Amino acid sequence: QKEVEQDPGPLSVPEGAIVSLNCTYSNSAFQYFMWYRQYSRKGPELLMYTYSSGNKEDGRFTAQVDKSSKYISLFIRDSQPSDSATYLCAMSRSNDYKLSFGAGTTVTVRA
Amino acid sequence: NAGVTQTPKFQVLKTGQSMTLQCAQDMNHEYMSWYRQDPGMGLRLIHYSVGAGITDQGEVPNGYNVSRSTTEDFPLRLLSAAPSQTSVYFCASSYSMPRGKTGELFFGEGSRLTVL
């Protein structure tokens, strides 16, 4: 069983819809939770960064972490065609460079 | 700033051939790493380095070698290419802790390798 599970989709939504993405994990030692965005034929780039449980909001993006359920989510409000990308969740233990990534969910926002 | 630069962007090899994927960063990052990305598998760590002269294995190191002689460069060597090494390879770097945040990696654009 993978340490981090993420539904690969694909997910197709109309412009303006709310996109909901999530990952589950099995390692209770994970303390840092991230979402990376990867455009086609490009490298991933850090989108959201959260430490431990709670919510974090940045513009149209909200990241949620529920450590008790080992579940993290990313919400994209008022989605735009420019949000079309693959979204990868990632997590790590404290003071550990090594990240565990989910498989990535491919999102298409239709104009 | 160029960030993280990978070369070549594309490469086709025959089984048994060797080659080196180059990675250079101009951000003075201490930490550098190599990942491979395969469909349905996510990114998997191959090797990493926390500074010049220091390297360590990641999750899938077999068939790959690395060295770190300078802060800027972290080449990945395929010793004897196999079809199972067909993948997209990403180099990533970050500041060492506590200057950098755990997990805040800066990625290159990838090197797409096909082994026939």
Side-chain angles (χ1 to χ4, degrees):
Chain A
Q1 185 182 359
K2 293 180 187 176
E3 208 169 32
V4 180
E5 297 280 357
Q6 181 178 8
D7 187 341
L11 197 59
S12 179
V13 300
E15 184 175 355
I18 295 175
V19 176
S20 174
L21 305 168
N22 57 74
C23 291
T24 59
Y25 62 95
S26 57
N27 190 340
S28 58
F30 288 143
Q31 295 285 339
Y32 295 87
F33 303 91
M34 290 139 276
W35 288 93
Y36 280 81
R37 178 175 61 194
Q38 184 177 20
Y39 290 116
S40 180
R41 297 197 172 273
K42 297 291 186 181
E45 56 180 350
L46 183 64
L47 183 64
M48 296 289 284
Y49 184 98
T50 309
Y51 170 68
S52 195
S53 284
N55 294 0
K56 184 174 183 179
E57 191 171 315
D58 184 1
R60 296 183 294 110
F61 299 89
T62 299
Q64 292 182 349
V65 175
D66 182 349
K67 290 187 68 180
S68 62
S69 302
K70 298 190 179 67
Y71 187 90
I72 70 170
S73 302
L74 177 71
F75 299 96
I76 308 174
R77 291 184 300 280
D78 187 25
S79 57
Q80 304 295 310
S82 58
D83 295 325
S84 298
T86 296
Y87 292 82
L88 302 122
C89 63
M91 45 201 79
S92 69
R93 296 170 295 184
S94 183
N95 293 325
D96 191 349
Y97 295 102
K98 298 185 290 293
L99 300 185
S100 293
F101 282 88
T105 302
T106 299
V107 174
T108 300
V109 180
R110 308 185 307 271
Chain B
N1 282 353
V4 179
T5 303
Q6 292 184 233
T7 56
K9 287 188 169 25
F10 302 93
Q11 183 71 49
V12 179
L13 289 178
K14 295 181 180 177
T15 297
Q17 288 184 315
S18 62
M19 77 157 299
T20 299
L21 299 177
Q22 301 290 345
C23 176
Q25 52 90 10
D26 61 0
M27 297 174 283
N28 203 28
H29 285 168
E30 296 92 346
Y31 177 77
M32 297 185 74
S33 56
W34 278 100
Y35 285 85
R36 59 178 289 174
Q37 186 174 37
D38 302 290
M41 300 293 291
L43 287 156
R44 291 181 292 168
L45 182 64
I46 304 171
H47 285 287
Y48 65 98
S49 169
V50 298
I54 306 169
T55 63
D56 208 345
Q57 296 181 349
E59 181 185 356
V60 287
N62 292 342
Y64 307 95
N65 268 359
V66 292
S67 60
R68 184 93 179 270
S69 56
T70 67
T71 299
E72 294 79 19
D73 301 298
F74 191 45
L76 178 71
R77 279 181 284 278
L78 279 71
L79 309 171
S80 177
S84 61
Q85 293 179 304
T86 293
S87 187
V88 182
Y89 292 84
F90 288 98
C91 180
S93 70
S94 74
Y95 287 112
S96 291
M97 292 169 280
R99 265 206 302 168
K101 291 190 290 190
T102 301
E104 187 176 20
L105 295 177
F106 296 81
F107 283 84
E109 294 209 335
S111 297
R112 285 158 179 79
L113 176 67
T114 300
V115 182
L116 303 175

